[in-house]
Amino acid sequence: MKESLYGEKKRVKLLAKILDKMNNPASDVRVIHVSGTNGKGSTCYMINSILCEMGYKVGLFTSPQITTIYELIKVNGVEITELEFEGCKNKLRQVLNELNLNLENDLSYFEMVFLIAMIHFKNKDVNVLILECGLGGELDATNAVSKIDYTIFTKIGIDHKNILGNTIEEICQTKSKIIRKQSNVIIAPNQRDVVYEILEKEAKYKNCDVFSAEKNIKIEKVENKEKNRQNIYEKEDFKSENNLEFQNKVRAEIIGNYDFGKNFKNNKYFFKFGLKGEQQLENLATVLMWYFRFCDDSKNSVENTEKIFDRTLGTLQIAGRMEKVEEIKNVYLDVAHNEDSVEAFVDYVKKNFYNRKKIFVVGFLKDKEVKKCVNLLKIVGDNFILTEPNNEERKLDSEILEKYFEDKKIENPKNIIISEKNIEKAFLKALELRENEDECIFVVGSFYLLGEVKKVIEKYF
């Protein structure tokens, strides 16, 4: 079975036919479809948390996995079990047989997992679906779902050039084709001008309502109580229970011309926010844009909005998003793997760890903008152990990656630049080389790298 058949003709039509044969699990539920280059997973997890808190039964499909395939399919935060996965797989096999199709020969691995997810969501009787696009948009397996209520576009940038196109225009055109007629289109802030133009043109053509987070939502960090004595954090019930490291407090405000205020008691909200980095504030603005439209559309009671945000977003942690390893002091894991996400990663490290000695364990896939990513990483670090993600076809040879860092060795012979193909050895070498636990280790570059590092941590710690 091939890992992907993306781009081959009529794949989406075939998957739509299979879904119809399964009595289309998405036909009688509300569907949220999320596309973009960066921030898709974080956006999906935030929306999932909010909906669960509001009492919905939520099916969540994301990709790719960091550790196991089961983490891609969740209902109200609970992963599908191995037994459930195999049961859904057998059901899928039966459906395919009725269509004279063969599971191993006629589907890609990603298509199979997506269809298994849809069967699982039907079995669990969910009433809201959140689907993260795997790749691109128009030709992605998730685009086989015909009825979409909310189409969300996170930050769109350059990635997968060999598949999606060489320019931001080509990439955005592909992603824009997931927009359905008369759906709600939500666009993340700080996009390139051409992105807004393409998405708004497609949405207008399909008679959709467009909601720009940049025009309607304002997010600000609340630095401390001394500067904000009258804010909501003076109230006892809003004190942090977990004392999460780096936990932010934010102020969100509804702005712009759209009158969400008619359904809300006020247009300013204060709440805790646990995710790290400026890019997560952009994702948060996108999520809030969706939330206010969802409530407006659903005519839901919104009296507890502030507490909903505080309870769900204040403690939310997502694997691989500046994830702090609990078992080892000052070790962080991040899935940043393209230019925009690496830039956001570097900005965060620069602001929060500028005076700390750092070692980076880095591995990239060869189809990424490696040179641009490396140049960004070199801004914030001097010591790098280069390794190879666990993807035989797409991994970049660590010795080739090492050459991108040669100038760091010339700049200072004491800088650590080491190639180690084996991920376990690379990570353990980083631990060995740090002089004390106050030094920070960052693992970055690929989903396929972090999963293996997590296995090493589980094995030894």
Side-chain angles (χ1 to χ4, degrees):
M1 180 180 282
K2 291 184 178 180
E3 183 178 345
S4 173
L5 290 170
Y6 184 92
E8 294 196 11
K9 291 182 179 179
K10 299 181 180 179
R11 298 307 303 171
V12 174
K13 285 187 177 180
L14 173 64
L15 295 174
K17 184 179 179 181
I18 296 169
L19 286 174
D20 286 340
K21 190 68 176 177
M22 298 185 326
N23 297 319
N24 205 336
S27 61
D28 55 354
V29 302
R30 277 185 279 188
V31 181
I32 301 162
H33 201 190
V34 182
S35 182
T37 306
N38 296 305
K40 298 193 300 292
S42 297
T43 298
C44 286
Y45 276 106
M46 281 191 260
I47 292 174
N48 178 75
S49 295
I50 289 170
L51 286 170
C52 290
E53 180 69 20
M54 293 171 71
Y56 290 94
K57 195 166 189 180
V58 188
L60 174 63
F61 177 71
T62 59
S63 64
Q65 75 266 24
I66 292 178
T67 51
T68 73
I69 196 69
Y70 309 116
E71 71 193 51
L72 305 187
I73 305 169
K74 296 178 180 177
V75 174
N76 279 26
V78 179
E79 291 182 9
I80 189 172
T81 66
E82 183 178 359
L83 186 63
E84 289 170 330
F85 187 91
E86 292 303 320
C88 293
K89 186 176 179 180
N90 290 334
K91 173 65 177 175
L92 175 59
R93 196 182 297 276
Q94 293 171 14
V95 171
L96 293 174
N97 287 341
E98 292 173 15
L99 293 169
N100 296 317
L101 297 170
N102 179 273
L103 178 66
E104 283 73 24
N105 296 331
D106 293 313
L107 293 182
S108 71
Y109 187 72
F110 181 79
E111 291 168 344
M112 178 192 75
V113 175
F114 166 65
L115 292 170
I116 285 173
M118 297 302 284
I119 293 171
H120 183 62
F121 297 149
K122 186 79 170 180
N123 291 344
K124 293 293 185 179
D125 198 27
V126 304
N127 48 31
V128 183
L129 281 183
I130 305 170
L131 303 176
E132 177 188 353
C133 270
L135 182 64
E138 182 179 17
L139 302 179
D140 188 71
T142 59
N143 206 31
V145 176
S146 57
K147 184 187 78 67
I148 304 293
D149 299 279
Y150 302 90
T151 304
I152 299 176
F153 292 98
T154 63
K155 190 75 168 284
I156 294 177
I158 300 290
D159 202 0
H160 303 289
K161 289 172 68 173
N162 57 322
I163 299 173
L164 301 180
N166 291 314
T167 67
I168 196 73
E169 290 86 354
E170 290 175 322
I171 292 170
C172 191
Q173 287 284 1
T174 297
K175 293 182 185 294
S176 73
K177 300 305 179 184
I178 70 169
I179 296 174
R180 295 289 188 273
K181 289 181 179 179
Q182 297 181 321
S183 65
N184 297 280
V185 176
I186 289 97
I187 305 175
N190 298 328
Q191 305 274 10
R192 296 163 174 87
D193 288 343
V194 69
V195 170
Y196 287 118
E197 291 169 11
I198 291 170
L199 295 180
E200 289 174 358
K201 181 179 179 181
E202 184 71 18
K204 184 178 180 181
Y205 173 71
K206 293 181 177 174
N207 196 26
C208 298
D209 291 325
V210 179
F211 302 91
S212 165
E214 189 160 322
K215 293 178 181 178
N216 289 283
I217 304 294
K218 182 180 179 181
I219 303 285
E220 293 179 322
K221 284 184 183 178
V222 178
E223 295 298 336
N224 57 55
K225 285 185 181 181
E226 292 300 316
K227 294 180 181 178
N228 301 278
R229 286 191 174 276
Q230 302 304 313
N231 73 41
I232 200 165
Y233 293 102
E234 295 296 321
K235 296 182 180 179
E236 186 68 26
D237 59 341
F238 275 83
K239 287 184 179 178
S240 172
E241 295 177 4
N242 297 0
N243 292 318
L244 288 172
E245 187 177 10
F246 306 125
Q247 188 179 55
N248 292 319
K249 298 170 184 176
V250 297
R251 177 192 293 108
E253 182 179 357
I254 303 172
I255 58 175
N257 296 323
Y258 195 90
D259 188 18
F260 290 112
K262 63 186 178 183
N263 290 321
F264 293 83
K265 286 187 175 181
N266 56 58
N267 64 350
K268 292 183 180 180
Y269 301 90
F270 297 90
F271 53 93
K272 298 189 294 289
F273 186 59
L275 298 179
K276 311 167 187 72
E278 294 298 319
Q279 80 280 12
Q280 294 295 4
L281 296 179
E282 293 181 2
N283 295 331
L284 174 61
T286 309
V287 169
L288 298 191
M289 182 76 264
W290 161 82
Y291 171 82
F292 291 124
R293 177 54 180 163
F294 180 82
C295 292
D296 196 45
D297 209 24
S298 309
K299 296 180 173 59
N300 283 337
S301 171
V302 289
E303 293 179 3
N304 297 321
T305 288
E306 208 160 56
K307 288 189 176 181
I308 288 171
F309 293 164
D310 199 77
R311 288 171 184 161
T312 58
L313 305 179
T315 57
L316 181 63
Q317 301 291 296
I318 305 174
R321 278 68 170 188
M322 197 53 72
E323 178 184 357
K324 188 175 187 293
V325 174
E326 293 182 4
E327 296 87 347
I328 318 171
K329 188 176 179 182
N330 287 321
V331 175
Y332 300 87
L333 313 178
D334 199 278
V335 294
H337 59 279
N338 54 45
E339 185 179 1
D340 283 350
S341 60
V342 171
E343 183 176 14
F345 167 82
V346 166
D347 285 345
Y348 185 81
V349 172
K350 190 162 53 176
K351 288 176 183 176
N352 293 277
F353 300 90
Y354 65 94
N355 61 345
R356 306 278 289 279
K357 188 173 180 182
K358 298 172 282 288
I359 300 175
F360 294 82
V361 179
V362 181
F364 285 108
L365 300 179
K366 59 188 176 184
D367 54 13
K368 302 300 177 183
E369 295 276 290
V370 176
K371 185 176 181 180
K372 291 180 180 178
C373 292
V374 167
N375 287 340
L376 287 166
L377 288 172
K378 287 191 290 190
I379 293 171
V380 78
D382 297 313
N383 305 301
F384 296 89
I385 298 177
L386 298 321
T387 189
E388 299 175 359
N390 183 28
N391 187 308
E392 199 61 37
E393 290 184 6
R394 297 170 62 198
K395 67 182 182 183
L396 177 66
D397 189 302
S398 63
E399 293 180 1
I400 294 174
L401 182 57
E402 184 182 15
K403 292 178 181 178
Y404 288 100
F405 290 89
E406 285 179 346
D407 57 329
K408 276 290 179 183
K409 199 69 176 175
I410 296 169
E411 177 186 304
N412 186 347
K414 291 183 179 180
N415 287 341
I416 298 168
I417 308 294
I418 297 173
S419 168
E420 173 50 71
K421 295 178 183 292
N422 182 278
I423 294 174
E424 179 176 317
K425 291 180 179 178
F427 182 68
L428 294 177
K429 187 68 174 177
L431 290 172
E432 175 191 328
L433 287 173
R434 69 173 179 174
E435 295 174 2
N436 57 66
E437 289 186 339
D438 290 331
E439 294 182 15
C440 297
I441 294 175
F442 296 93
V443 181
V444 65
S446 175
F447 279 88
Y448 299 97
L449 173 60
L450 264 62
E452 295 305 302
V453 169
K454 279 177 171 280
K455 290 177 185 177
V456 177
I457 293 168
E458 186 178 342
K459 179 179 178 181
Y460 290 100
F461 298 95

